[in-house]
């Protein structure tokens, strides 16, 4: 048995102090009580309160509190001893001793009746107590002010307090099914109130034992709590929600946690609010829920919200039954009671307080007596929730007696001190009596009660006289106290309160007492004695007129209750009958007459508050428990996954926001995923390269989530290996759960009730194209509730990859904000070091950590590889076997494929050793020995190759192989997974893992490596040419240390006769998208010439047989990726459909008749290639043709719907294009001068064009007709703008005026005058129906102001004044703010409504040229004069990021429609596209040759259009860059290059801190010079070419062996960076200039610094040795030239005369003269001996940029910024010739070795060849991808060769052939390529080339005419007619051979069908294809 009071007791929320005070109050009352039973009950309550005090004190070490608790335990023992309960007293003493308090310390006696507890200040708040009594005072009636004695009752009426009713408790076993919801409630109540063994004494033994067990079963506690939560959730899903369901959830309300309680409250609220008719059951449930709410569970806002709802329903329910009104009023009463307890104040007077009070007051006119009473009670409760200060509140503040009474009342009710409570009521009554302002106010209440003597009125009328609706009354407080006593079973105290209350004679009080007595009598849960006592109490109130008065309403009410009981069937019927019989004769005749009338009329409809209906069957709990248990399976899954996780090496990875983001922006990936999981986002995409650690991270994430998993309520982490799931696009969660042996009912249970975190690994490996989130319908109604973390290789995805992962439909995904992505970055140096430490600690390898670190530091190629986590693990595994002891690590070169070679060998050898030590069966042992004899490792590799090839061939590369012995015994799978011993041994030795019937490689890259071996195995080729057939094992050198260079195929026509394998995997399918596989094969090309030749053979074979087409496509893709260049190659007739030739080099290649259908040609070099007759259907160039204009393009703009593009020109013309075919729709020629502004109307039907010719013209878009010419300006129009409605156009001009025009009529509406200078910008606000101050348009002017005008343009609303001229203005999308950029370098955001400046963005040092708001208004972008872009937050005002990359000022900024991209352009001619989330430059769009005037995004297809002063509009596909670049091998930009004196090698150096030696003949990267720690700035060959000197920003200079690449010597020690290095002609000395303005002279052999040459005071820009090596000349920015003696280091001459910075100095070939140049236009010739200036050569209009001596003549060439080249005779000083032809700055000029040509390089991307003698241009080398910065003639060849370097870092080598008047130019080699080049490519008769691509190629310089598609169809028709003609002509041969006739007919049928299809296809081609 257990005490039922525990269920409802809210003591668990009390603090230590509060519980201790409560215990003292109970003990104080116990010490005073005379009744032994009452004493025991109070002692019991003391014990419970002390237990709560101990629980609360458990969380602190407050010894003082513990001693206080112990003291009260001693005092409790004393009371129990006095009552004769010594056993219980000893228990109390023992508990005190545990708390450090001993009974001997408290041996004083306490006299009976005296207080045994020290008085304490009561601090219990009204919401944390066991009572719900509000302490607020209420006025008393006149009669209650009288001195009232205590009425006595018979002893049998409530003689004692009742212990809480005991309830049968059958304790459930852990994990067992519960009997009913009551049992669940009792269990949870025990858990809430009894967590310590000290509490066991108050519990039934069964409950005590159950608690002891459950305290150790945390899972069971969680299960019980989850059951309660599930019952509440089941109630929500229950459609009926009948009385039984309401009863069940209310039964749990007192044991729910706060969240569940609020959830249930919300459900009741919603049910009442949303029901059409009033839901009485839910209303009653809500009332009971509020009545029993634990402290803190309902706050003020909750109660106010509920009261508002009930008030509304009360007002709406007037036409329904009075029963409904009563229920609502009762619920209102409970809410108001709770609000009074909570102390809610400030109730909304107008919305709730006043309407509710008026409605309740109106209910007093009801004919239902009980409704009237309940309305009065509710009104009294409402009076306790004041809306503002009233007279009564003022009285309370001023009356000390009242305050004292309230204080006493609060203290007494909280501690159930009945005497104190009654005294408190008396104090209130006396306090009210002393307030004159209140006395009359309450007087009528006591005089208004109608007595029996004056009765005669009806019952209802009398009742209304005794109830008050307009002021507070004391009876409300008394009844609240009575409710508390009844609830706690304190019936003896209840009797005492009722009999002694000062308001005892108040009719309303008595009415409430009668109601409560009736409820007690009707409660069958109470014992019979108590129920009979309630009936007897009613009888005494009826009989005793002296004690209770003779109020007729009360007497009638008592009779009504008794009569109602007499008609029932309960056990009290007999007692009530006897009582009624006795009362019939009671009193005088009037009273007896009242009795008879009541009996005749019958009872009132008294809704006695009996218990709720019984819980239904099946109950909600039954339904919940019918749900299958899933926790056991989840625990098993958790254990399994944690076991599989094991002790793996794990380094927390870093991530970055996108593929284009810089590694500098990386962040901890696990933290980012944690933020995602706690957000509202639903999909997290994790990208990374192969081996980047995605799967490792996913496993760690799953492990950590399982570690923090909470049973029953926790979110379930579910790892899904996508390749292992069949069709994961449908129901993948259920499929994964079935694999983990969950049953179908369990799966349904999880789907309905649980949340998941899906960790989906291997999206790419499963070869998915579906959006798994949407195809699995995650988070839709009735579907799985889940977040998704999904991983995929970066290279697997295309441009629009986000569409595969974003939730929602395509159009709204950006708005939903539910998607996030991150990219795993490569390991940093620190992560590599940490990985090594963990690896050595876990695996105990042969090497120590320091040995690994040394290898990583010394092996150059390894540093880059180990940044990949998987390659890192491979490297650590195999490094000890790859490096020989004593080997020079700096000369070791390790490639990715070499790592895999050694890893596989090592793995197999280790597997062999393991199997050899294993106890094998005889058959297995024999098989093992056989394999070993043949070469176990060799057999293992062959097994791996064959398995990989079979997986690709049979499964398309799907990596999981499912093998079932009986199902797959006769399939290809049995060859690898069958039971034959050798297969089992090889399978066990290979790097495979098995899970059930699924087999896979331990990492997908091993599968790709295996296929790469199947394509080409170097060992197989070696065995073919080996004379030793007994070779059975592979040496570790099977992967040679090859280079990653670039080959050039001169001609592939002479194919090796070696027979190709037709079953090679290259022939099966295209591998163009298999990046990782192609990487392996690329490295094989670098290592194995045989493989390169094999691939070339495939290409050659495709010419003869189309069956080799797939292999040839793969082969040429691999070769292009490997850097093989096909310049001049014979590729006629090759078939390479779908190949990827992007960035390939095919200069002058012969491709006639080749099949290039669907080939990727992005960025390909096809200059001078012959494509005649080639098939080019579906080829992709990644670019669109530009739109050539007849003058400079000043602006361009897309229409709002993206269907057209308008281009304004300087000539005054406007061209409008259709974006569907880019044909001109119409052109306007109305303007006579330049177009300054073009704007589409909002509906796109009209264009407004402003011009410098001072007019504006309005044109119809569809016809090109001019509708109006708007004249009125006196100066050039600068801007035009449409209003939002499109009915007005505003125009601004240079004189500062703005004119407003009517679009329909063309009339001038207003002229706005206010600016004093030219207007820089004009725009309308986004809205046009706002207040005048924010719905006008803004004018930005150079008079430093922006003016905001009202829409009607009559008034200037705001003047926004700035400190400098305004350069740009932009409205926010909502129009509430305006962003303004100024020439002082600030951006200001102004509030358009108030004119206040919200933010000033500071950070620029120069003009702000442009400002733009993002589409959502959260960002502002600004661009400045220096080329910097900053993104600002409009919410915080912070600078989010700075975008750097432009070289000149930014003039245009444009956001994409979604706001994820920002396009920028300006004076540097580039268009750059930025990711606004990361600040990364996604694309740099080159092509313009002059400043860009505008950049705009299309709203339709994601294109960008840019206009330029170069007279073109270029069209770009965003994201359509080529997928890769064939580069030089450098990881950073290439700065420059140097050729060796022989011309056989060249050195390229750049930003990756390395230099690379290239073999020019072999076109291969021969050596990597690695050692500098910062950028290599310069390179110089020694005169003999045997050494290379490099200088770097790391302040060192190094000398390298040009043959081996070894570092010979390092020259350290300088504090400043090395700027220039020069060799002496003999090669024995080096001169270096430093940033400290000095020159150091070094001995090359010894490394000794011979001299430090000091004298220059500014930066030294040039240092050269004289031809004899005895002198050094230097020039400086200090405007001097100095000559130095090499032997002494003394400055022999200081040459002055330049008026600007010195740039360069050179010696004449004989060394007798030097020539120096400066930034100015003149240069000087000096006599070396005398130091005299012989000549001043001045001729360039703008300063010189370069000059060069002729090697054999007295000539010097100079270039200038005037685009010209001048040839001078420096002996005479005369200008020999002027070469004119370049269109931009000439950067470099060089003489040819024969001295007959001069080559000049220019920013116009060309190199020109000039004849020295005639001055004629002999050739132009075009197609340089960027500005040409330097050129150099290359020695060592009979033919002329010229190399040039570009601004983008590319190096191009050209061959020149003298063709007479002109030189023919052919590209020999390119270090990198990423730009499309088709100059002079022949496209004559090319087939199936689209119209757009044809136009593109023709624009870029291709020649010839492709075949028209109709012409092709015509040829086919002629062929078909020929066949038909043959059939019509009699032929003896056909007649004799019927088979031939049939074949001809079939041929004819096929040709006709093909022709029909062809014509059908042509018919569907847009018109643009048919022009």
């Amino acid at each position: 048995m257990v005490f039922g009071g525990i269920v409802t007791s809210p003591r668990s929320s009390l603090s230590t102090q509060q519980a201790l005070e409560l215990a003292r109050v109970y003990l104080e009352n116990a010490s005073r009580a005379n009744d032994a039973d009452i004493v025991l009950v109070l002692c019991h309550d003391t014990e419970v309160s002390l237990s709560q005090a101990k629980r609360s004190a458990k969380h602190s070490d407050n010894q003082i509190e513990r001693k206080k608790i112990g003291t009260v335990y001693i005092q409790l023992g004393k009371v129990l001893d006095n009552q004769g309960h010594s056993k219980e007293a000893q228990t109390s003493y023992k508990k005190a001793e545990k708390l450090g308090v001993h009974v001997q310390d408290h041996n004083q006696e306490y006299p009976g009746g005296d207080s045994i507890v020290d008085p304490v200040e009561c601090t219990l708040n009204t919401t944390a107590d066991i009572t719900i009594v509000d302490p607020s005072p209420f006025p008393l009636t006149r009669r209650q002010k009288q001195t009232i004695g205590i009425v006595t009752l018979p002893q049998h009426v409530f003689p004692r307090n009742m212990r809480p009713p005991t309830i049968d408790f059958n304790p459930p076993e852990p994990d067992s099914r519960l009997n009913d919801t009551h049992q669940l409630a009792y269990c949870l109540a025990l858990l809430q109130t009894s967590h310590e063994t000290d509490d066991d004494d108050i519990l039934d033994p069964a409950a005590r034992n159950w608690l002891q067990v459950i305290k150790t079963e945390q899972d069971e506690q969680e299960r019980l709590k989850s059951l309660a939560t599930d019952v509440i959730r089941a109630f929500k899903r229950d459609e009926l929600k009948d009385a039984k369901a309401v009863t069940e959830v209310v039964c749990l309300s007192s044991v729910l946690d706060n969240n569940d309680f609020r959830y249930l409250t919300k459900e009741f609220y919603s049910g009442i609010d949303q029901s059409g008719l009033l839901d009485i059951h839910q209303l009653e449930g809500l009332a009971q829920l509020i009545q029993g709410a634990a402290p803190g569970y309902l706050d003020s806002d909750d109660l106010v919200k509920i009261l508002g709802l009930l008030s509304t329903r009360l007002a709406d329910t007037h036409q329904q039954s009075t029963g409904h009104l009563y229920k609502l009023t009762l619920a209102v009463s409970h809410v108001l009671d709770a609000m009074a307890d909570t102390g809610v104040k400030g109730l909304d007077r107008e919305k709730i307080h006043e309407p509710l009070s008026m409605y309740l007051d109106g209910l007093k006119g009801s004919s239902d007596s009980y409704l009237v009473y309940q309305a009065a009670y509710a009104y009294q409760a409402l009076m306790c929730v004041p809306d503002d200060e009233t007279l009564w509140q003022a009285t309370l503040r001023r009356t000390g007696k009242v305050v004292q009474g309230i204080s006493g009342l609060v203290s007494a009710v909280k501690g159930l001190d009945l005497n104190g409570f009654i005294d408190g009521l008396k104090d209130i009554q006396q306090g009210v009596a002393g307030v004159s302002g209140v006395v009359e106010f309450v007087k009528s209440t006591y005089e208004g009660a109608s007595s029996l003597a004056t009765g005669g009125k009806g019952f209802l009328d009398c009742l209304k006289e005794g109830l008050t609706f307009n002021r507070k009354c004391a009876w409300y407080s008394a009844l609240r106290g009575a409710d508390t006593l009844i609830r706690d079973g304190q019936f003896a105290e209840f009797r005492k309160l009722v009999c002694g209350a000062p308001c005892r004679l108040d009719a309303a009080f008595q009415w409430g007492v009668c109601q409560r007595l009736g409820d007690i009598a009707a409660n069958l849960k109470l014992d019979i004695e108590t129920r009979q006592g309630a009936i007897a109490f009613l009888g005494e109130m009826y009989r005793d007129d002296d004690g209770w008065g003779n109020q007729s309403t009360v007497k009638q009410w008592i009779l009504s209750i008794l009569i109602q009981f007499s008609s029932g069937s309960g056990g009290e019927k007999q007692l009530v009958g006897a009582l009624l019989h006795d009362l019939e004769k009671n009193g005088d005749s009037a009273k007896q007459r009242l009795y008879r009338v009541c009996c005749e009329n019958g009872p009132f409809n008294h809704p006695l508050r009996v218990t709720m209906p019984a819980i239904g069957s099946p109950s909600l709990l039954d339904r919940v428990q019918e749900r299958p248990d899933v926790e056991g399976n989840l625990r098993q899954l958790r254990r399994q996954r944690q076991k599989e996780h094991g002790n793996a090496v794990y380094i927390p990875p870093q991530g970055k926001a996108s593929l284009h983001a810089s590694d500098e922006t990386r962040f901890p990936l696990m933290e980012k995923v944690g933020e995602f999981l706690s957000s509202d986002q639903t999909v997290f995409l994790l990208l990374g390269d192969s081996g980047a650690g995605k799967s490792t991270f996913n496993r760690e994430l799953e492990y950590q989530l399982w570690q923090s998993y909470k049973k029953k309520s926790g979110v379930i982490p579910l790892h899904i290996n996508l390749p292992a799931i069949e069709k994961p696009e449908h129901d993948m969660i259920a499929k994964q759960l079935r694999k983990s042996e969950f049953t179908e009912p369990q799966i349904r249970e999880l789907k309905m009730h649980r949340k998941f975190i899906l960790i989906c690994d291997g999206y790419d490996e499963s070869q998915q194209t579906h959006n798994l989130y949407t195809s699995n319908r995650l988070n839709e109604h009735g579907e799985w509730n889940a977040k998704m973390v999904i991983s995929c290789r970066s290279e697997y995805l295309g441009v629009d990859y986000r569409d595969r992962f974003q939730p929602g439909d395509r159009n709204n995904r950006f708005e939903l904000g539910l998607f996030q992505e991150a990219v795993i970055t490569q390991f940093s140096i620190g992560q590599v070091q940490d990985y090594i430490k963990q690896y050595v600690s876990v695996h105990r390898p042969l090497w120590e950590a320091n040995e690994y670190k040394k290898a990583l530091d010394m092996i150059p190629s390894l540093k880059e590889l180990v940044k990949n986590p998987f390659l890192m693990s491979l490297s650590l595994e195999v490094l000890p076997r790859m490096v020989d002891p004593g080997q020079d690590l700096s000369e070791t070169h390790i490639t990715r494929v070499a790592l895999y070679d050694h890893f596989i060998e090592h793995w197999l050898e280790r597997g062999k050793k393991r199997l050899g030590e294993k106890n094998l069966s005889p058959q297995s042992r024999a098989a093992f020995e056989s394999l070993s004899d043949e070469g176990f490792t060799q057999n293992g590799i062959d097994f791996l190759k064959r398995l990989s090839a079979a997986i690709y061939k049979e499964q398309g590369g799907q990596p999981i192989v499912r093998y079932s012995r009986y199902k797959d015994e006769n399939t290809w799978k049995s060859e690898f997974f069958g039971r034959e011993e050798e297969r089992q041994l090889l399978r066990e030795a290979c790097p495979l893992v098995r899970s059930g019937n699924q087999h896979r490689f331990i990492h997908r890259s091993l599968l790709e490596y295996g296929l790469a071996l199947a394509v080409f195995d170097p060992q197989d080729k070696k065995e073919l040419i080996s004379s030793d057939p007994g070779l059975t094992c592979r040496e570790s050198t099977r992967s040679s240390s090859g280079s990653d260079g670039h080959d050039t195929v001169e001609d592939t026509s002479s194919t090796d006769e070696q027979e190709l394998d037709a079953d090679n995997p290259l022939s099966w399918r295209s591998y163009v998208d298999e990046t990782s596989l192609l990487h392996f094969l690329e490295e094989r090309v670098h290592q194995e010439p045989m493989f390169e030749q094999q691939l070339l053979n495939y290409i050659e074979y495709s010419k003869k047989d189309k069956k080799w087409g797939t292999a040839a496509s793969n082969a040429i893709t691999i070769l292009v990726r490997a850097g093989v260049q096909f310049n001049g190659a014979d590729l006629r007739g090759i078939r390479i459909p779908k190949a990827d030739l992007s960035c390939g080099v095919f200069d002058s290649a012969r491709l006639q008749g080749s099949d290039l259908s669907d080939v990727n040609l992005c960025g390909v070099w096809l200059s001078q290639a012959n494509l005649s007759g080639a098939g080019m259907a579906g080829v992709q160039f990644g670019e669109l043709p530009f739109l050539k204009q007849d003058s400079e393009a000043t602006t361009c703009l897309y229409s709002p719907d993206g269907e057209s593009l308008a281009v304004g020109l300087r000539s005054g013309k406007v061209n409008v294009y259709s974006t569907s075919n880019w044909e001109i729709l119409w052109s306007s020629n109305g303007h006579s001068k330049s177009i300054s502004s073009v704007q589409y109307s909002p509906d796109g039907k009209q264009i407004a064009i402003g011009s410098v010719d001072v007019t504006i013209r309005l044109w119809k878009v569809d016809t090109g007709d001019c509708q109006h010419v708007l004249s009125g300006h006196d100066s050039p129009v600068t801007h035009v703008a449409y209003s939002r409605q499109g009915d007005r156009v505003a125009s601004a001009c240079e004189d500062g005026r703005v004119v407003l025009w009517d679009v329909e009529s063309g009339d001038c509406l207003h002229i706005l005058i206010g600016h004093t200078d030219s207007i820089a910008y004009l725009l309308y606000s986004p809205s046009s129906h706002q207040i005048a101050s924010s719905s006008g348009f803004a004018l930005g002017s150079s008079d430093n102001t922006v003016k905001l005008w009202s829409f009607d343009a009559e008034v200037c609303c705001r003047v926004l004044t700035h400190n400098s001229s305004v350069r740009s203005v932009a409205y926010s999308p909502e129009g509430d703010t305006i962003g303004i950029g100024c020439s002082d370098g600030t951006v200001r955001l102004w509030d358009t409504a108030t004119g206040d400046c919200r933010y000033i963005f500071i950070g620029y040092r120069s003009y702000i040229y442009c400002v733009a708001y993002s589409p959502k208004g959260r960002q502002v972008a600004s661009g400045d004069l220096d080329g910097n872009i900053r993104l600002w937050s409009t919410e915080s005002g912070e600078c989010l990021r700075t975008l750097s990359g432009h070289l000149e000022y930014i003039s245009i900024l444009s956001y994409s429609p979604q706001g994820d991209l920002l396009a920028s352009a300006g004076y540097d001619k580039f268009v750059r596209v930025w990711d606004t989330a990361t600040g990364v430059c996604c694309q740099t769009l080159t092509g313009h040759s002059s400043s860009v005037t505008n950049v705009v995004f299309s709203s339709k297809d994601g294109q960008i259009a840019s206009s330029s002063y170069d007279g073109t509009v270029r069209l770009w596909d965003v994201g359509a860059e080529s997928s890769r670049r064939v580069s030089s091998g450098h990881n950073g930009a290439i700065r420059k290059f140097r050729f060796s004196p022989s011309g056989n090698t060249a050195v390229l150096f750049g930003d990756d801190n390395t230099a690379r030696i290239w073999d020019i003949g072999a076109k291969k990267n021969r050596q990597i010079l690695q050692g500098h720690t910062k950028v290599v700035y310069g390179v110089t060959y020694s005169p003999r070419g045997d050494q290379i000197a490099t200088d770097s920003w790391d302040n060192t200079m190094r000398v390298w062996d040009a043959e081996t690449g070894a570092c010979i010597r390092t020259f350290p020690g300088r504090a400043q960076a090395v700027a220039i290095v020069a060799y002496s002609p003999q090669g024995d000395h080096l001169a270096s200039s430093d940033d400290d303005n000095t020159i150091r002279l070094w001995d090359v052999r010894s490394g000794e610094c011979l001299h430090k040459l000091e004298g220059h005071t500014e930066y030294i820009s040039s240092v050269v040795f004289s031809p004899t090596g005895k002198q050094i000349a230097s020039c400086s920015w200090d405007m001097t030239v100095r000559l130095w003696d090499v032997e002494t280091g003394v400055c022999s001459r200081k040459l002055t005369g330049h008026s600007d910075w010195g740039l360069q100095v050179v010696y004449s070939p004989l060394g007798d003269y030097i020539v120096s140049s400066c930034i100015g236009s003149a240069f000087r010739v000096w006599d070396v001996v005398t130091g005299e200036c012989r000549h001043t050569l001045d001729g360039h209009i703008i300063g010189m940029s370069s000059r060069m001596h002729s090697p054999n003549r007295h000539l010097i060439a100079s270039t200038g910024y005037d685009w010209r080249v001048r040839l001078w005779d420096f002996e005479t000083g005369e200008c020999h010739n002027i070469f004119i032809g370049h269109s931009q700055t000439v950067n470099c000029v060089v003489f040819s070795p024969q001295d007959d040509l001069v080559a000049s390089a220019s920013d116009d991307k060309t190199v020109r060849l000039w004849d020295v003698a005639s001055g004629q241009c002999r050739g132009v080398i075009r197609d340089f991808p960027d500005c040409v910065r330097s050129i150099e003639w290359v020695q060592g060849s009979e033919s002329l060769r010229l190399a040039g370097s570009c601004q983008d870092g590319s190096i191009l080598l050209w061959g020149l052939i003298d063709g007479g008047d002109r030189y023919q130019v052919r590209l020999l080699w390119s270090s990198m390529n990423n730009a499309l080049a088709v100059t002079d490519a022949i496209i004559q008769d090319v087939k199936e080339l689209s119209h757009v691509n044809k136009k593109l190629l023709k624009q870029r310089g291709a020649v010839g005419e492709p075949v028209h598609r109709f012409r092709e169809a015509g040829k086919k028709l002629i062929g078909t007619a020929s066949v038909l003609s043959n059939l019509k002509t009699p032929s003896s041969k056909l007649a004799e051979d019927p088979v031939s006739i049939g074949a001809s007919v079939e041929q004819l049928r096929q040709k006709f069908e093909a022709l029909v299809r062809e014509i059908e296809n042509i018919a569907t081609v847009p018109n643009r294809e048919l022009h």
Side-chain angles (χ1 to χ4, degrees), residues 1832-1886:
E1832 184 176 324
W1833 293 97
V1834 180
Q1835 306 286 343
S1837 174
E1838 294 182 1
S1839 61
L1840 283 175
R1841 294 185 296 173
L1842 182 71
S1845 67
C1846 300
Q1847 182 170 291
D1848 67 354
S1850 58
I1851 313 293
L1852 293 89
L1853 180 64
W1854 306 85
L1856 280 63
I1857 302 173
D1858 191 348
D1861 292 338
R1862 306 282 292 181
Y1863 274 88
Q1864 297 178 1
V1865 181
R1866 173 180 163 187
L1867 181 68
L1868 301 179
W1869 171 76
S1870 174
S1871 66
M1872 59 181 290
N1873 181 53
N1874 51 48
L1876 178 65
V1878 294
T1879 304
D1880 294 330
I1882 301 173
I1883 57 173
Q1884 184 66 35
D1885 295 331
V1886 165

Side-chain angles (χ1 to χ4, degrees), residues 1794-1813:
Q1794 291 76 26
D1795 210 21
D1796 57 340
L1797 290 177
V1798 169
S1800 57
S1802 170
D1803 279 353
D1804 64 8
K1805 304 181 183 180
T1806 67
V1807 171
R1808 289 180 175 265
L1809 306 176
W1810 309 93
D1811 188 284
V1812 173

Side-chain angles (χ1 to χ4, degrees), residues 1134-1155:
I1134 64 171
R1135 296 179 174 90
I1136 52 170
K1138 299 182 180 180
D1140 183 2
L1141 306 187
S1142 58
C1143 302
V1145 181
F1146 294 83
D1147 190 272
S1148 304
R1150 288 169 285 172
L1151 287 159
Q1152 299 96 311
S1154 56
D1155 180 3

Side-chain angles (χ1 to χ4, degrees), residues 502-585:
C503 56
R504 186 186 74 248
L505 297 179
D506 193 303
F509 176 71
Q510 291 186 15
W511 229 77
V513 170
C514 292
Q515 175 196 0
R516 283 152 180 78
L517 290 172
D519 292 339
I520 294 171
N523 190 349
L524 298 179
K525 289 185 178 181
L526 300 175
D527 59 66
I528 187 64
E529 181 183 9
T530 302
R531 298 191 342 253
Q532 289 178 353
I535 293 173
F537 203 143
L538 287 169
E540 288 301 316
M541 290 182 67
Y542 186 87
R543 291 192 189 97
D544 189 0
D545 292 343
D546 294 333
W548 298 98
N550 55 359
Q551 300 176 83
S552 60
T553 56
V554 177
K555 307 300 182 181
Q556 288 178 286
W557 179 225
I558 293 172
L559 290 175
S560 177
I561 293 173
L562 293 175
I563 293 170
Q564 190 170 346
F565 276 113
S566 68
S567 61
S569 58
E572 67 280 353
K573 179 178 180 180
Q574 185 176 358
L575 176 65
V576 172
L579 178 60
L580 286 173
H581 184 268
D582 181 62
L583 297 181
E584 183 180 4
K585 304 300 182 181

Side-chain angles (χ1 to χ4, degrees), residues 1052-1058 1093 1096-1097 1100-1101 1104:
T1052 63
S1053 59
S1054 57
T1055 305
D1056 193 337
E1057 293 300 326
Q1058 169 192 338
Q1093 187 58 53
L1096 293 172
N1097 290 343
E1100 187 66 23
Y1101 273 40
K1104 306 171 185 178

